[in-house]
Amino acid sequence: MKNLASMMKQAQEMQARMAEMQAGLERHEMTGQSGGGMVTVTLNGKGEMRAIKIDPALATPDDVEVLEDLIVAATNDAKAKVEAHMAEEMQKLTGGLKLPEGMKLPF
């Protein structure tokens, strides 16, 4: 029974550390770029867009499709950076413990 109590305590500690990590991720921002920096998108650690900057030279009616593609590319770049940061933080939290494939912890 003592082993079960120890496991429950460890689970509670991990849950508290997970809550701290999630709060920290919300404050952390990552910026993605495309078009050589002509478009930048900033996301927080939860993937919410915080800012977008577009070089005024791209804001022409003739280049709408190019601008749309650059926005998507910059957003995907920022998202990849957020996911890499999140994976790094999760590894710190779990001490390198690998989760079974397909299993994700809630964010």
Side-chain angles (χ1 to χ4, degrees):
M1 203 50 126
K2 185 176 181 180
N3 201 15
L4 179 61
S6 175
M7 286 176 50
M8 292 297 289
K9 183 178 180 184
Q10 287 177 339
Q12 288 174 338
E13 289 171 359
M14 182 171 276
Q15 187 176 21
R17 289 192 311 259
M18 177 82 70
E20 288 174 25
M21 183 187 77
Q22 287 175 332
L25 285 173
E26 193 169 333
R27 291 186 303 269
H28 193 82
E29 293 183 347
M30 302 295 265
T31 299
Q33 298 183 24
S34 65
M38 294 181 84
V39 175
T40 62
V41 173
T42 302
L43 304 178
N44 72 5
K46 290 198 168 202
E48 299 166 336
M49 190 179 296
R50 293 296 186 206
I52 184 169
K53 292 185 182 178
I54 300 170
D55 186 311
L58 291 173
T60 63
D62 298 336
D63 290 335
V64 171
E65 281 186 36
V66 171
L67 179 56
E68 291 169 344
D69 290 343
L70 289 172
I71 291 170
V72 170
T75 303
N76 288 339
D77 184 41
K79 184 175 184 245
K81 290 176 181 178
V82 166
E83 289 173 354
H85 177 72
M86 198 177 346
E88 185 180 307
E89 292 299 310
M90 183 59 73
Q91 188 157 5
K92 289 178 192 174
L93 179 72
T94 62
L97 175 69
K98 296 209 181 236
L99 296 175
E101 190 163 330
M103 182 178 174
K104 294 186 177 183
L105 295 174
F107 285 101

